[in-house]
Amino acid sequence: MKLLTIACSLVMMLFFQNVIAKEHSHFDEQAQKAIKEFAIALKAALGEAMEKGGPIEAIPVCSKVAPTIAKELSDKYGMTIGRTSLKVRNPANKPDSWEEAVLQQFEQRKAQGESVTSLVYSGQRVDDHQDEQWRMMKAIPTAKLCLPCHGSNIDAPVQTVLDKLYPDDKATGFSLGDIRGAFSVHKIKTR
């Protein structure tokens, strides 16, 4: 009888591990889709604004359009998506402790020669309320498109607008290929 109880317990444990693994795999797939859509939409909006009026025209894309895209994709996929960085422009995008650790890990992986475009991390965490969080981050490489507002040589009119909108701006001094930040996705799975 005792052996039967142990066997049943093992079968149930394996079953639930398999279910959780499938759910997490599905989360990873959906998170990757959401990140890809976010990146494509943001890059298109920035490119259009840059063509229309240069960097000053592009600043509202990051400050107003990006949060709208993030909200729409969060609603579409049933998870929260946003952007963060070790050097934020908008304090609302400051990384939490998990995100900061992953961003630091990305910097270490880049220093070891890994391509910024391949830097992705997916994991699980239990928060203070005992809810399980499924999380994913993907590094954002600094592209040529980013440099007029995030590089080392920002034109004076652009810097004036940035200073007015973001008095505590830390998101400058980047070079082509640096880790600008990361897309961050999480979903809470209540136990």
Side-chain angles (χ1 to χ4, degrees), residues 30-83:
Q30 294 300 300
Q32 288 172 7
K33 285 180 184 179
I35 288 169
K36 185 175 182 179
E37 281 185 50
F38 196 172
I40 289 169
L42 184 57
K43 186 174 182 179
L46 283 168
E48 186 179 313
M50 288 290 282
E51 284 181 24
K52 185 178 175 184
I56 291 176
E57 192 73 28
I59 292 170
V61 172
C62 285
S63 65
K64 293 185 173 78
V65 176
T68 301
I69 296 169
K71 172 77 170 96
E72 289 170 0
L73 291 172
S74 294
D75 292 345
K76 177 180 177 180
Y77 286 96
M79 54 186 74
T80 303
I81 183 167
R83 298 170 301 147

Side-chain angles (χ1 to χ4, degrees), residues 42 45-67 83 89-90 93 145-151 154-167 169 171-172 180:
L42 184 57
L46 283 168
E48 186 179 313
M50 288 290 282
E51 284 181 24
K52 185 178 175 184
I56 291 176
E57 192 73 28
I59 292 170
V61 172
C62 285
S63 65
K64 293 185 173 78
V65 176
R83 298 170 301 147
R89 174 156 285 161
N90 181 344
N93 294 336
L145 183 67
C146 306
L147 295 175
C149 295
H150 293 285
I154 300 172
D155 290 341
V158 174
Q159 189 64 60
T160 300
V161 173
L162 291 173
D163 289 344
K164 183 178 178 186
L165 291 172
Y166 305 104
D169 185 11
T172 60
R180 169 61 200 93

Side-chain angles (χ1 to χ4, degrees), residues 6-179:
I6 292 171
C8 287
S9 295
L10 285 172
V11 168
M12 291 300 288
M13 185 176 74
L14 291 172
F15 172 77
F16 286 115
Q17 284 180 337
N18 187 38
V19 168
I20 291 169
K22 285 181 181 180
E23 287 177 352
H24 194 253
S25 178
H26 179 72
F27 164 78
D28 282 352
E29 290 172 14
Q30 294 300 300
Q32 288 172 7
K33 285 180 184 179
I35 288 169
K36 185 175 182 179
E37 281 185 50
F38 196 172
I40 289 169
L42 184 57
K43 186 174 182 179
L46 283 168
E48 186 179 313
M50 288 290 282
E51 284 181 24
K52 185 178 175 184
I56 291 176
E57 192 73 28
I59 292 170
V61 172
C62 285
S63 65
K64 293 185 173 78
V65 176
T68 301
I69 296 169
K71 172 77 170 96
E72 289 170 0
L73 291 172
S74 294
D75 292 345
K76 177 180 177 180
Y77 286 96
M79 54 186 74
T80 303
I81 183 167
R83 298 170 301 147
T84 190
S85 178
L86 292 173
K87 293 170 50 176
V88 295
R89 174 156 285 161
N90 181 344
N93 294 336
K94 183 179 178 201
D96 64 24
S97 60
W98 186 89
E99 291 168 327
E100 186 172 357
V102 172
L103 288 163
Q104 293 287 358
Q105 180 192 92
F106 283 173
E107 290 292 349
Q108 292 170 355
R109 289 168 57 188
K110 179 182 181 282
Q112 294 171 352
E114 196 169 338
S115 168
V116 175
T117 58
S118 69
L119 297 174
V120 177
Y121 184 86
S122 179
Q124 292 173 264
R125 157 185 160 188
V126 176
D127 68 16
D128 296 337
H129 299 80
Q130 296 302 306
D131 291 326
E132 187 174 355
Q133 292 186 16
W134 291 347
R135 303 190 74 166
M136 176 180 281
M137 288 180 69
K138 179 169 182 20
I140 301 170
T142 302
K144 187 177 178 182
L145 183 67
C146 306
L147 295 175
C149 295
H150 293 285
S152 296
N153 299 312
I154 300 172
D155 290 341
V158 174
Q159 189 64 60
T160 300
V161 173
L162 291 173
D163 289 344
K164 183 178 178 186
L165 291 172
Y166 305 104
D168 296 321
D169 185 11
K170 307 272 187 282
T172 60
F174 290 95
S175 298
L176 193 64
D178 285 347
I179 298 172

